[in-house]
Amino acid sequence: DTEVTQTPKHLVMGMTNKKSLKCEQHMGHRAMYWYKQKAKKPPELMFVYSYEKLSINESVPSRFSPECPNSSLLNLHLHALQPEDSALYLCASSLGTSGNNEQFFGPGTRLTVL
Amino acid sequence: GQSLEQPSEVTAVEGAIVQINCTYQTSGFYGLSWYQQHDGGAPTFLSYNALDGLEETGRFSSFLSRSDSYGYLLLQELQMKDSASYFCAVIVPGGKLIFGQGTTLQVKP
């Protein structure tokens, strides 16, 4: 299994809703990432988990809350989002966080906040 | 600060060769990666250079000069399906990928 899966593919939510994005990989990777990508822009790193511990938080607002229940799963909990948070949310994984570690990206969740 | 510069758009015809350049200025450097992203899709890894020189993978090659903080992606025998955005990205300590703004490649018949 050489892929990263993400659910849901699309999500529409109101500003008062609580929702979660899910990401899964079975490649034995120990590093997992959340990125946010706006149209015509590069992915922007949000969080890095290494061995199930949060190692990098790129000053992301607290309305985004990551969780890594085990080495194969990564969640992103969303609460009280703003319309400007509408974007493609990408999950990625890699063997580790040092040196050359090719990051495999999932297909993304396209989020629309109304 | 951390910055990567690459052209915003490149146009070429089928069968041609195109080179996408990338210059970078980052705190720390493990290597330079290239990703392809089609509209509506996810980034797909193309190549990685940690040492100076040319790496070849089929129709795609990637080059790195660490002393010049410069690299490029070379696409040969262009096909229509190569129309996509191409991102250079530097891997820095901690596993962070710093992306360039992306180059939109349009391949014309």
Side-chain angles (χ1 to χ4, degrees):
Chain A
D1 189 351
T2 58
E3 65 172 0
V4 177
T5 59
Q6 290 186 243
T7 55
K9 284 188 167 46
H10 301 274
L11 178 62
V12 179
M13 60 187 290
M15 289 190 284
T16 58
N17 292 158
K18 281 186 183 181
K19 296 286 184 183
S20 296
L21 309 185
K22 296 187 183 304
C23 173
E24 191 166 359
Q25 57 86 17
H26 294 289
M27 294 179 278
H29 289 174
R30 303 314 299 265
M32 296 185 78
Y33 311 78
W34 280 116
Y35 289 86
K36 171 183 177 181
Q37 187 176 27
K38 293 280 216 179
K40 306 295 185 189
K41 294 291 186 183
E44 292 176 35
L45 183 66
M46 300 174 73
F47 303 103
V48 180
Y49 272 84
S50 179
Y51 288 85
E52 299 156 51
K53 287 186 170 26
L54 183 65
S55 60
I56 295 177
N57 175 344
E58 291 286 277
S59 303
V60 179
S62 59
R63 57 186 184 269
F64 295 91
S65 174
E67 179 197 18
C68 190
N70 61 56
S71 60
S72 300
L73 292 174
L74 186 66
N75 298 322
L76 185 63
H77 303 298
L78 314 172
H79 174 54
L81 295 194
Q82 304 295 310
E84 60 264 28
D85 296 321
S86 298
L88 180 68
Y89 288 84
L90 294 160
C91 173
S93 71
S94 65
L95 276 173
T97 58
S98 62
N100 172 25
N101 281 291
E102 175 189 344
Q103 290 190 20
F104 291 80
F105 283 82
T109 294
R110 192 160 298 281
L111 174 68
T112 303
V113 182
L114 302 175
Chain B
Q2 324 242 50
S3 68
L4 285 82
E5 297 285 333
Q6 55 180 124
S8 58
E9 290 182 6
V10 173
T11 301
V13 296
E14 266 188 303
I17 299 172
V18 73
Q19 178 173 314
I20 300 174
N21 298 322
C22 175
T23 57
Y24 59 87
Q25 188 172 14
T26 58
S27 304
F29 178 87
Y30 278 143
L32 183 69
S33 291
W34 288 91
Y35 284 82
Q36 178 192 62
Q37 187 174 26
H38 287 97
D39 271 350
T44 304
F45 174 83
L46 291 177
S47 69
Y48 173 78
N49 294 68
L51 302 175
D52 287 0
L54 190 68
E55 297 280 342
E56 297 180 66
T57 309
R59 294 188 297 116
F60 295 179
S61 304
S62 57
F63 171 83
L64 175 65
S65 168
R66 293 178 68 129
S67 59
D68 295 322
S69 299
Y70 163 75
Y72 66 72
L73 179 70
L74 191 74
L75 299 88
Q76 302 182 74
E77 300 171 23
L78 279 176
Q79 302 175 8
M80 297 297 290
K81 66 178 182 180
D82 297 329
S83 294
S85 292
Y86 292 84
F87 294 95
C88 59
V90 168
I91 302 174
V92 297
K96 289 175 63 169
L97 263 182
I98 311 296
F99 283 88
Q101 290 299 303
T103 298
T104 301
L105 170 63
Q106 187 176 17
V107 180
K108 294 187 171 180

